[in-house]
Amino acid sequence: MLSLFAQNEESNFIAPDRTIHKRSEIIKRAIKKILDFSDFDTAYISPNRYNYALMLDHFTNYEYYSVGSGTPEPQRLRFSPKPHNKIGVYFGWRWLFLGWAVDADGLYGKKNGKKRGREFDLSLYSSKLGVDIFYKRTGNSYKIHKITGFSDRIPTDYSEDFNGLKVKMKGLNLYYIFNNRRFSYPAAFSQSTNQRRSAGSFITGFSVSAHNLDFDYTQLPPIIQETMNPGMKVNHIKYTNISLNFGYAYNWVFARNCLACLSLNPAVAYKTSRIRKAEEETDEWYKNFNIDFILRVGIVYNNSKYFAGTSFVGRTYDYYRSNFSLNNGFGTLQVYAGFNFCLKKEHRKKKQ
């Protein structure tokens, strides 16, 4: 009995250390699993066998801004610039592409002397985690191309240059892919893996962005200013957008080496904003919730050595008050072609 008692005492004494050790091992395995980006089912996904890639890419950027008011009568003005084109050459290492793009409109002879905006987009896709980082500052090449709720004297196909809108926007999106062993975002958007069998996955993410909009309504044509709602007469709108999104993506392998991807992530967004009205000196602060969207579409041919395809990534942001609303969206359409080179060591044939 003394021996048994001693053993129990010893066992009780070392149990906490064992428990802590087990918990530590569980945490280490969980962290290792999260950071292991090569853990996938080879029946569905095959890895890239090459170290490097070279790609020629053509970008077309689209954007729109819509300003509206619901009182006393619903009104809305929609502005958008002409699509902006770029051509670039990119060098890739695994899932990261770096390169340089030039304004293609100048090459096409389409420059009109108007001030261009500045844009920066960076998307990193891994098997489990992804990030989009963006910065945009608009130029002055907007046109009014859709008007609702104003004078009947304004034709439905009304179009007019407008230089009173300037926008700055910056932010990032982070997301996690649940079915990362069978579904590959990189196969559709960065060509760093190959999807061999169709598969889908739920996706969740976090987004934060800051928006600054200067709106000089006095530059609108007189025929619009005559009946414009007071709620639309603002000088400056500044708001921060914080959102949680949850959606679904699907990779469809419709032929050998051919893939189509569709991904849609609705987002519940919290917005805190400051609005400076044209007729008042004090600012007004608002806080509310809205729904935003993140859309990704891609079609690609990839036989491991050569690849070509097109993709579109778009985001929408909506801001609503009873007397004022703002909708804006932007997207990037890419058409690309390239090739991989320099086989990885483990894929090189051993000399006999």
Side-chain angles (χ1 to χ4, degrees):
M1 290 182 63
L2 289 175
S3 176
L4 178 61
F5 177 79
Q7 289 175 7
N8 286 338
E9 285 292 313
E10 181 180 358
S11 175
N12 290 336
F13 178 75
I14 65 174
D17 290 339
R18 290 179 179 177
T19 301
I20 294 173
H21 178 72
K22 288 181 179 179
R23 290 177 180 175
S24 176
E25 289 298 320
I26 292 173
I27 294 174
K28 288 180 180 179
R29 285 196 297 267
I31 294 174
K32 184 178 180 180
K33 186 175 181 180
I34 292 173
L35 297 178
D36 184 5
F37 297 125
S38 60
D39 180 26
F40 45 75
D41 188 341
T42 55
Y44 285 80
I45 302 170
S46 60
N48 187 1
R49 298 183 298 124
Y50 296 87
N51 286 304
Y52 309 110
L54 193 63
M55 179 176 68
L56 181 65
D57 204 336
H58 181 282
F59 300 85
T60 304
N61 293 310
Y62 302 89
E63 58 184 297
Y64 74 87
Y65 298 88
S66 181
V67 178
S69 174
T71 56
E73 296 293 335
Q75 292 182 338
R76 185 159 295 278
L77 295 171
R78 185 178 175 112
F79 310 89
S80 64
K82 292 181 179 180
H84 187 200
N85 298 285
K86 293 181 180 179
I87 293 179
V89 177
Y90 289 81
F91 174 77
W93 173 73
R94 297 188 178 182
W95 40 264
L96 178 63
F97 276 89
L98 298 174
W100 185 259
V102 297
D103 194 330
D105 292 340
L107 302 177
Y108 300 152
K110 294 183 178 180
K111 284 211 170 184
N112 53 14
K114 292 185 177 182
K115 181 181 177 182
R116 289 291 186 184
R118 293 184 179 180
E119 303 165 0
F120 172 81
D121 288 275
L122 174 64
S123 294
L124 303 177
Y125 301 97
S126 72
S127 60
K128 298 180 180 180
L129 304 174
V131 59
D132 300 320
I133 303 172
F134 58 89
Y135 169 82
K136 292 184 179 293
R137 187 176 71 182
T138 65
N140 62 355
S141 58
Y142 284 93
K143 276 186 174 291
I144 305 170
H145 71 90
K146 189 174 182 180
I147 298 176
T148 56
F150 287 83
S151 172
D152 294 336
R153 293 177 294 162
I154 303 176
T156 56
D157 58 348
Y158 183 87
S159 179
E160 183 80 21
D161 289 338
F162 180 65
N163 297 326
L165 180 63
K166 293 180 175 61
V167 180
K168 291 182 181 179
M169 187 187 313
K170 57 185 176 181
L172 64 86
N173 302 316
L174 299 173
Y175 49 88
Y176 177 80
I177 301 166
F178 288 93
N179 188 22
N180 48 72
R181 297 195 72 250
R182 295 186 174 183
F183 171 85
S184 175
Y185 246 162
F189 298 103
S190 65
Q191 303 82 47
S192 57
T193 59
N194 292 72
Q195 187 85 41
R196 295 307 183 188
R197 297 173 62 181
S198 300
S201 176
F202 287 104
I203 298 172
T204 188
F206 168 80
S207 176
V208 59
S209 58
H211 306 250
N212 282 274
L213 184 144
D214 291 313
F215 179 57
D216 186 359
Y217 78 93
T218 61
Q219 294 194 40
L220 290 168
I223 193 172
I224 295 178
Q225 293 188 48
E226 290 174 4
T227 56
M228 189 175 184
N229 286 346
M232 295 175 65
K233 297 179 179 179
V234 298
N235 278 336
H236 183 75
I237 305 151
K238 179 179 180 180
Y239 72 91
T240 300
N241 184 94
I242 302 173
S243 67
L244 295 175
N245 62 77
F246 185 82
Y248 189 80
Y250 189 77
N251 278 347
W252 175 37
V253 181
F254 59 91
R256 182 177 174 81
N257 299 322
C258 295
L259 171 67
C261 178
L262 175 62
S263 170
L264 179 62
N265 283 42
V268 178
Y270 172 77
K271 296 175 171 64
T272 175
S273 60
R274 183 184 69 188
I275 296 179
R276 184 178 304 142
K277 294 186 176 181
E279 299 176 354
E280 299 178 9
E281 293 184 358
T282 59
D283 297 346
E284 292 189 2
W285 288 85
Y286 298 103
K287 298 178 181 180
N288 64 347
F289 288 89
N290 292 125
I291 301 295
D292 299 331
F293 292 92
I294 303 173
L295 172 69
R296 296 180 178 89
V297 181
I299 299 176
V300 61
Y301 169 81
N302 188 350
N303 67 359
S304 294
K305 177 66 175 178
Y306 301 98
F307 58 86
T310 181
S311 65
F312 177 82
V313 179
R315 307 174 186 89
T316 65
Y317 299 93
D318 298 315
Y319 176 83
Y320 286 100
R321 300 292 301 174
S322 59
N323 61 342
F324 178 80
S325 64
L326 170 66
N327 313 97
N328 62 290
F330 59 92
T332 301
L333 175 67
Q334 293 178 260
V335 179
Y336 56 85
F339 63 93
N340 297 302
F341 61 97
C342 188
L343 278 169
K344 294 179 180 178
K345 186 177 181 180
E346 60 269 26
H347 296 291
R348 297 172 188 171
K349 292 182 178 180
K350 293 182 180 181
K351 295 182 179 179
Q352 299 295 334

